[in-house]
Amino acid sequence: MQQSTKPQLQETKRIDVAEDFIYSSRNPKYNEQYRSWRKSTDSPYLFRFVQDPREHAYMDGTGFASTTASATEQRTLRRVGEVIGFALLLLMLVQLGGGSLMVWVLQMLGMDIRLDFLTLSMKGSQWLVIAVRVLVMLLQYGGALVIANRFFRIPTKIRIPFTFRAIPEAIGAVGCAMLCAAVFCTLDHFSGHGAESAQQLFSYKNATALMVYGIFDMLVVSLLHELLMRGTLLPMLRQFGDSFAVCTVAAMGFLFPNTTPWRVGMFLIGLASGYFLVKGGSFLNCAMMHTIYHALIYARLILVYHDGAIATPLQYILILAAMGALAFISYGITRYGRLKTENTVTYLPLSKKIMTLCESFTMLPWLAFSVLLAVAQLLL
């Protein structure tokens, strides 16, 4: 009797990837809006697949044939990878070459600014240097956001979800920001970059210009980075698995050109921000975490510059680690049993997903150059 009913149960099994996806955040409106977007939006960048074994499609020249969920997922992921690669290529080009081009143009106009091509540091008028740095950051993130949103067209309520139900996640996010800052400060301290960074930062004699740049970096740059990484790339990649999306976007942040402590810090912040966005359903936690992380790093540079007058760098690291651990433990106690990301399995294996995402004609050159640059920085 069991042998006769088992084939019938298998025949009636129906696949609907949008319905089968587990929408598990603490924001029910975000869950419903994300599901509705995937099911109703006519976009080639959304993974939608419905199959009933009782239905067959006729293809001219081949007869009756049916596609598979894994083949559809691979095709959609490849399209998404092409757009992401295009956006990241533009961001990298502007970040590496935008400042040099602007300094050259300003020098041609007779303005007081110059560039050291060995260290890529700018000198001259402090307001002019800050203006160039600000403009480069706006262009690199703004250009990438324009490209990604031009193709993906993600609704605002999905890009920037908000809920008051994610208060424990907000506490955990603050704790993670402190822990990530502690890791960064530790690496920066033992690598010897901390004193050099403090000297470069406080070599600006104009305190107003320095304050403007610091506020811009902590608030605006943090927000732009999160809008791109967690507000745009993560929602698109989340349809291929929560864990895959969180780790992949964090790895992209690690490959952005910068020093090793900054790379490690951005990777950890990326993991934490992605996790709390998926679990809490609130973009505010991501922006707050990134802002606090940057503020804590600036505070550490002040301590280094004043040569431990208030606290030594190691004391500061211990304070951050202790307070961050307490905040994260309180979150873990509140959400005990609900810490794992639930949607971890899709129809492609993890290795196939990574290969498919990286094999596009735009993603591959960005990835190759970023990896080579990271290796060169580690060896030099």
Side-chain angles (χ1 to χ4, degrees), residues 283-347:
F283 178 81
L284 182 62
N285 291 338
C286 303
M288 177 185 63
M289 182 189 304
H290 207 128
T291 300
I292 292 174
Y293 170 76
H294 267 135
L296 293 174
I297 289 174
Y298 275 111
R300 188 249 174 178
L301 292 178
I302 295 174
L303 292 178
V304 172
Y305 182 74
H306 289 286
D307 197 20
I310 303 174
T312 65
L314 290 179
Q315 289 173 338
Y316 182 66
I317 291 170
L318 290 175
I319 292 172
L320 286 182
M323 294 180 64
L326 286 175
F328 188 76
I329 290 172
S330 68
Y331 161 72
I333 294 174
T334 305
R335 294 287 191 239
Y336 179 74
R338 302 178 184 178
L339 299 179
K340 293 182 179 180
T341 53
E342 296 182 35
N343 187 55
T344 57
V345 179
T346 52
Y347 293 88

Side-chain angles (χ1 to χ4, degrees), residues 44-45 72 74-84 152:
Y45 303 102
T72 304
Q74 186 175 9
R75 185 165 55 250
T76 307
L77 183 57
R78 187 177 292 110
R79 294 195 191 106
V80 171
E82 291 174 357
V83 176
I84 294 177
F152 293 153

Side-chain angles (χ1 to χ4, degrees), residues 104-121:
W104 178 77
V105 172
L106 292 174
Q107 283 181 332
M108 295 294 292
L109 297 175
M111 297 187 179
D112 180 23
I113 189 170
R114 54 195 178 278
L115 177 70
D116 185 344
F117 288 96
L118 293 178
T119 62
L120 295 180
S121 60

